[in-house]
Amino acid sequence: MRNPTATQLLFEMSCAGRGTEVFPASDVPDVTGVPKIGADFLASGPLPLPEIAEPDVVRHFVNLSTLNMSVDSHFYPLGSCTMKYNPKRHERLARLPQAANSHPYQSESQVQGLLSVLYEMQTMLAEISGLPGVSLHPAAGAQGEFTALLTAAAWFRDRGENRTRVLFPASAHGTNPASAALAGFECVQLSGGRDGFVDLEELKAHLDERTAVFMVTNPNTLGLFERDIAVVSEMLHSVGGLVYIDGANMNAILGRTRPGDFGGDMMHYNVHKTFTGPHGAGGPGAGPIAVRDFLAPFLPAPVVTFDAARNWYSLSVPEKSIGRVRTFFGNVGILLRGYFYIRTLGGRGLREASENAVLNANYLLSQVKDFLEVPHGDRCMHEFVASAKRQKDLTGVTTMDIAKRLLDYGFHAPTVYFPLVVEEALMMEPTETESLQTLDAFAGALRKICSEPAELVKGAPHSTAVCRPDEVNAARKPVLCWSAPNC
Amino acid sequence: MKAEELRYAKTHEWVAVDGDTATVGITDFAVKLLTDIVYLSLPIVGKSYSPGQAMGEVESVKAVSDIYAPVSGEVIEVNSALPDNLVLLNDSPLEKAWIARLRMHSPSEAGSLLSYADYVKHCDKAHH
Amino acid sequence: MAYLFDTPEQRKIMFDAIGIASIDELFQQIPAELQLKRELDLPPALSELALEQDMQRRLGSAGGRGTCFLGGGVYDHFIPAVVDEITSRGEFYTAYTPYQAEASQGTLQAFYEYQTLISQLTGMDVSNASLYEGGTAVSEAVFMAMRINGRHGRVAIAGTLHPEYRQVLETYCSRLGTELVEIPHTNGVISAEACRAALDSETCAVVLQQPNFFGCLEDIRGLTDIAHAAGALSILAFDAVSPGMLKRPGEYGVDIAVAEGQPLGTPLQYGGPLLGIFTCRGDYVRKMPGRLIGKTTDRKGKECFVLNLQTREQHIRRDKATSNICTNQGLLALRTTVFLATVGPAGMRQMATLSHQKARYAAELLTAIPGVSLKFPGAFFREFLLETPLPACDMLKALSDRGYDVGPDMGRFSLTSVDGWQNCFLVALTEKRTRAEIEGLADAMRGVLERV
């Protein structure tokens, strides 16, 4: 039960002098034989951190946690984010000693078990994508995009080519252009066809010897499978360019089709989405990439290799590697959870998971399309984008109002106002781990909201601890840090 | 200043010409489109811009828009009081909310900007 | 098997509502020739029990691991149980980015507290809500410096910076034409003369580390003044534990301070996921990468928290965003929030002081062994570079065989800027190491050398 009194900040709970000794007293003698740190380097006093007793720390955070919606407690159809059930069985396994407590500079002989698992993960991700070269190194999907683009750039350079442009549709995730710009490419945005698919004529008009990569999410952010993807791929290849598949929506196609089979040259996985990992209120993720064989020599370092003759796993640097994009090996803790997921589902289970994700999305679509516009047809893959434009025009109720009102009914809101190509967008991704009853309850709530008085909906949420924070004032006069009164 | 007496860029900047000096601001239409403006970054004094080049930015909570130089010229003065009084953009877009003064490289460029009537037509089209 | 629960009757209801007779009809959206006609070739599905047995066999042993004296950016620190207990609560663990403020006040307030705690730890004005890890935080800091002063020509990097941080920066800058200039060290630290000589009017920033990769202390204030005099920014990577005992980055006047946050409540996990701490001066806040939480009020005037200054981020500014980061390290930031709230100023002081005292004791014992010496003469905090008569890889292997994991050795990074690098390696201490373990390490090293 929510505790209405418990929203004090940690800093307001602090009481000087309360700090307890956390650690035992020093058990080593003072020594004189080594150089002493000069006074110039030493802190002048204790850190200005709060002093709080452990029971109060626990109560504080437990109370804060009750102000959150989460997959464990609520239906969370946040499109593009694949908020599926997080298997609890992964957690204990991720804490096994070699997984949790290995230092990254541990010798290879001490982590053979762990490396064998990571090597197998590489192999499994290659099979699932149909792309043989895998790097587990990138920390999240966006870093995977950046890394793959650098890998492509290195391949072009190796061939003596200087290609400068990365193309993407307007419906792309913001990370695509951001990663392309970070990787030093010029960004070219295509508007796409009215039907939601890549417009082949428009694409053709933009392809030339400057084209490096076309980045496309497939299924795309409207929840549609790019039916012409093979043609798109041929078009890119015919001008010497490459196709990048943003793998954010892999949960729709596992075991049904593979990026490598439909013409992708490289892709990233969002392990924490597709193969489950704690979304952790924003992260961590893991963003492994998979690439065609000719790109593999350029992958970032390190990768795990296996010497069958010696039965030995090692960390290796690919022959023409672009180098590292982060310290150490990768987000091992998340990669392991993805590995556990794949091992417990197997090939058939992954396919069933995707089938049910697509079934659930289509069922939800069928239940909302008579009262919410769905501009791109009555079939979708694992997610679809509805629009509240009609509601807005008729009653003034916006997508944001509907999203907020859903919270009152105990549902997390869908992704709103994305993709940018749909006005008043509500992007819904139910995932496969939701039952018919939950989908019906959610559709019922949406239906009800759409017939509620506009004032009621515009005033929502009515049941949450706070209602419609003032974002304008927050941005005009940012307060990003607590400071002591009168300081 | 009267809106009818000013010249306009399609990118929603207004220009008041006085000799070789152009005073530049953003239009009421642009301000309304962006909704509540939360931040504005000014051009750099002494820097020269060519027409259509971004010289500043306005932000709402969920969108960013470049402010483009409507004519070529060197920035000789900026309205440094504006970023802390963004409400002026709503209250007094043509008087107190001017953004920069440029010394025009070729004052004749101003002639190719839109008249008020044409700008209004342009906005009507852009909005539908 | 997949986590599914609809009965055949329920599936029938769904099929009818959609107007399909089989699941295959839904997949007709994928052209037939692109569909996979076989099952994925993956190991057979395992039950929870079978998976647990397999993983116990492969990951359940410590792999012959010994007592940890390993350093080089992440360390074997103690984590109070309260950190695991709190952060594994599903309400934090299985929520995502707090886009809907009303459904995420728990997360938002916790991250606002994180930002404040990190400001208190560093003495810097603003902290973001996390980046991936220390290495990318350095690269993001350099890119931010370029946005601030518009200089793209050169970046001066201390020769005492973590070599992997440098490698990451090399990759990040590889297509920008920015030249990375190394500031050579003298006896393990950067001199004012060397720093000055490395700078010119095109230099965007100076990248320093405190304590540096070799464990030594740099004159960050002096080097920062030199950077500023040249119109460059000062970027500092610091040891997240060090403010418990040493001056905070803010006291040196640096512009951007970053750190690997792992020591503050995150397990080693073979190097990831970790926590990128990122802080800067207040006037640069709109150039910052990553998420920021701000305090505001709601419709009823109640104090609350929101994602703030989002126009910097990729979902709004796209190719002009201050970074491409989206998913960050929220859970690790939460771990650090709980950690710092629990240990407080006294705990941080203890943690830093104990690590330092034990490092001094270890150095004293180890350098008493004939042929073993500190590579550099300067003072160190919790980690030091040791030189022995043996090639470092042989020495570390022999120590490992005796139950002591030490390093990394300089050969791992081809750090040729250190004379005799082949025989040098790092030794790192934390509050966890006991006197008996330290003495055991000294005995082991003595034993190895006596057998040569």
Side-chain angles (χ1 to χ4, degrees), chain A residues 23 33 40 68-69 91 100 102 106 120 127 183 256-257 281-282 324 327-328 344 356 404 468 470 474, chain C residues 1 11 24 34 36 38 41 58 93 95 102-103 107 133 164 171 175 247 269-270 296 328 350 364 405:
Chain A
F23 302 102
D40 280 0
N68 274 1
M69 280 185 167
E91 299 308 315
S102 290
Q106 218 85 52
E120 210 178 323
E127 165 65 8
R256 275 283 182 173
T257 184
R324 29 172 84 254
T327 47
F328 312 126
T344 45
N356 228 53
K404 298 299 184 195
R468 309 273 182 135
D470 182 349
Chain C
M1 52 157 279
R11 283 172 80 83
D24 287 338
L34 302 183
L36 190 64
R38 58 170 175 84
D41 182 15
R58 291 160 74 179
Y93 207 76
E102 292 92 336
T107 293
E133 42 80 48
E164 290 198 24
T171 311
R175 291 187 25 88
K247 275 205 167 79
Q269 301 175 93
Y270 198 54
T296 186
N328 62 9
Q350 266 194 305
E364 175 123 326
D405 297 339

Side-chain angles (χ1 to χ4, degrees), chain A residues 185-201:
Chain A
F185 286 101
E186 182 190 340
C187 294
V188 181
Q189 179 168 309
L190 307 182
S191 37
R194 294 185 70 85
D195 54 4
F197 295 100
V198 172
D199 179 338
L200 297 182
E201 287 307 308

Side-chain angles (χ1 to χ4, degrees), chain A residues 8 79 102 125 146 169 255 285 289 326 340 361 426 428:
Chain A
Q8 263 191 323
S102 290
L125 294 183
F146 171 65
I289 57 173
R326 51 160 300 157
F340 300 149
L426 286 147
M428 309 190 201

Side-chain angles (χ1 to χ4, degrees), chain C residues 358-407:
Chain C
K358 291 179 184 212
R360 286 173 60 79
Y361 184 58
E364 175 123 326
L365 290 193
L366 294 172
T367 54
I369 302 168
V372 177
S373 59
L374 287 173
K375 182 69 196 170
F376 298 125
F380 54 85
F381 170 52
R382 56 113 120 248
E383 189 168 24
F384 51 86
L385 194 63
L386 207 62
E387 184 171 28
T388 81
L390 280 186
C393 50
D394 295 343
M395 171 58 85
L396 296 187
K397 166 107 185 31
L399 290 174
S400 187
D401 290 344
R402 286 165 168 77
Y404 298 93
D405 297 339
V406 187

Side-chain angles (χ1 to χ4, degrees), chain C residues 260-271:
Chain C
E260 174 47 65
Q262 177 274 334
L264 308 178
T266 294
L268 289 164
Q269 301 175 93
Y270 198 54

Side-chain angles (χ1 to χ4, degrees), chain C residues 154-167:
Chain C
R154 265 177 275 287
V155 177
I157 303 165
T160 54
L161 181 71
H162 193 308
E164 290 198 24
Y165 292 5
R166 183 194 166 128
Q167 288 164 11

